[in-house]
Amino acid sequence: MENIEKNVVLLLNGKDAEEPQDFCDFTLEDQNEAAISKGLAPSAPPDFVPILKQSVCYVVMAVIINEKNEILMMQEAKSSCAGQWYLPAGRVEPNESIMDAFKREVLEETGLTAEPSTLLMVESAAGSWYRFVLAGNVTGGSIKLPSQADSESLQAKWVHNLSDLSLRAGDILSIVEHARSFKSQLESQQAFHPSLLPTPRSYSKLFLRLIICARRKTNNRVHILVSEKTAAHLPICEIHPGRSLHAILKKFMTEMFGADLPSHRPHGVLALGHNYQSRPKISDGLCLSLLVSVRLPLEEVGLIDKYSWFQVNLEVAGILLSRMGKFRTVPLNVVRTSESDA
């Protein structure tokens, strides 16, 4: 169990866990078998491979705030929304990392060079469309002027009040509000999650890893759930490309706890692993690690076979509990529709 605590510490520091990819507790094939056992038609393609521009779509969005609390905005050039304003955003291209896509989109659309500083939010529509909202800092370049308009954008500028602009879509309003609140937390040195950027690790599938916490009633000690299928590891399931992450989480929790699912709360993302993989075959998989707390005492929670509780040391327990507050994890938002490129 030594590696369990080591991997929990990695995740709490925003780094992906070091576990083999064959540690998967609920594959798409398992999900199909579960559906059949309930008299339902299987819906998951068991041989699904995530490939950008074919079976999955990843979008990056940049929220860059200057010392005047102004937001970096770009004016759209596309015919469908020409003249309207939006945050710099666009699709991750094949053979490109999320961070490289961030840098490319900011440069193409605003004329500025920038470095990402942390994930601010992850959004998902179904299980195959993801938008990664990142904060960042300008490192150089010059802001794009109307005379430099091209197919990427008409111009860029720093804006304080977004209400002064004709926006392409209102979905960015809550994102900007969250980014400004997060920046305020940083400046006032209040508690916040550590800088979280994607760990460059290749995955052949789409995975959801869970760090599930519960307290023992007798001594109040914090425990985390461990899967004992193969070697001991943190519970992990394959993401169904056609289902929302909310639905996937509920099905996986039911797989572990049974139909009498205990009251629980998903807090947010602790870590993200992603890197383009070309060998042994092309794949653009990822792994999201999500912190979940169970509200009932550990003694009142039933478990299915091959899962058990592991008591973490007091230091790790304290960090886990502290990460359950506001701004202490990266929000994971499930949206119903996705935009074609942002």
Side-chain angles (χ1 to χ4, degrees), residues 106-128:
V106 172
L107 179 61
E108 289 176 350
E109 296 184 348
T110 73
L112 300 173
T113 58
E115 287 289 331
S117 56
T118 187
L119 266 173
L120 287 174
M121 188 179 298
V122 178
E123 296 180 313
S124 173
S128 58

Side-chain angles (χ1 to χ4, degrees), residues 152-215:
E152 297 294 340
S153 66
L154 300 180
Q155 63 173 314
K157 66 179 179 180
W158 294 99
V159 179
H160 191 272
N161 295 316
L162 299 192
S163 58
D164 294 339
L165 302 177
S166 173
L167 298 178
R168 170 183 152 182
D171 62 332
I172 64 172
L173 294 174
S174 60
I175 292 172
V176 168
E177 181 182 1
H178 175 75
R180 280 178 162 158
S181 296
F182 185 79
K183 181 173 182 285
S184 176
Q185 291 282 115
L186 284 175
E187 291 174 344
S188 61
Q189 298 184 333
Q190 296 184 50
F192 57 91
H193 64 74
S195 176
L196 195 168
L197 291 171
T199 299
R201 187 178 183 206
S202 297
Y203 281 94
S204 59
K205 302 285 186 179
L206 302 174
F207 291 112
L208 178 66
R209 179 188 289 116
L210 302 181
I211 302 88
I212 303 173
C213 304
R215 291 194 189 192

Side-chain angles (χ1 to χ4, degrees), residues 208-261:
L208 178 66
R209 179 188 289 116
L210 302 181
I211 302 88
I212 303 173
C213 304
R215 291 194 189 192
R216 186 175 291 280
K217 191 174 184 178
T218 54
N219 58 13
N220 214 31
R221 291 294 297 271
V222 174
H223 292 63
I224 58 173
L225 192 67
V226 172
S227 170
E228 295 176 335
K229 295 180 179 180
T230 62
H233 61 274
L234 296 169
I236 185 167
C237 77
E238 193 172 350
I239 295 173
H240 190 306
R243 289 203 178 115
S244 76
L245 286 183
H246 284 163
I248 293 161
L249 174 62
K250 183 177 180 180
K251 286 185 179 294
F252 189 29
M253 292 287 286
T254 303
E255 175 74 8
M256 293 182 285
F257 294 98
D260 189 17
L261 195 58

Side-chain angles (χ1 to χ4, degrees), residues 74-86 153-155 165-168:
M74 53 78 69
Q75 191 174 33
E76 295 282 8
K78 291 189 292 290
S79 59
S80 61
C81 53
Q84 296 178 320
W85 292 82
Y86 207 60
S153 66
L154 300 180
Q155 63 173 314
L165 302 177
S166 173
L167 298 178
R168 170 183 152 182

Side-chain angles (χ1 to χ4, degrees), residues 72-109:
L72 182 62
M73 299 288 289
M74 53 78 69
Q75 191 174 33
E76 295 282 8
K78 291 189 292 290
S79 59
S80 61
C81 53
Q84 296 178 320
W85 292 82
Y86 207 60
L87 291 169
R91 296 186 183 189
V92 179
E93 298 293 337
N95 201 19
E96 185 176 47
S97 72
I98 292 169
M99 289 189 287
D100 285 343
F102 171 97
K103 298 174 190 178
R104 175 181 54 77
E105 288 292 345
V106 172
L107 179 61
E108 289 176 350
E109 296 184 348

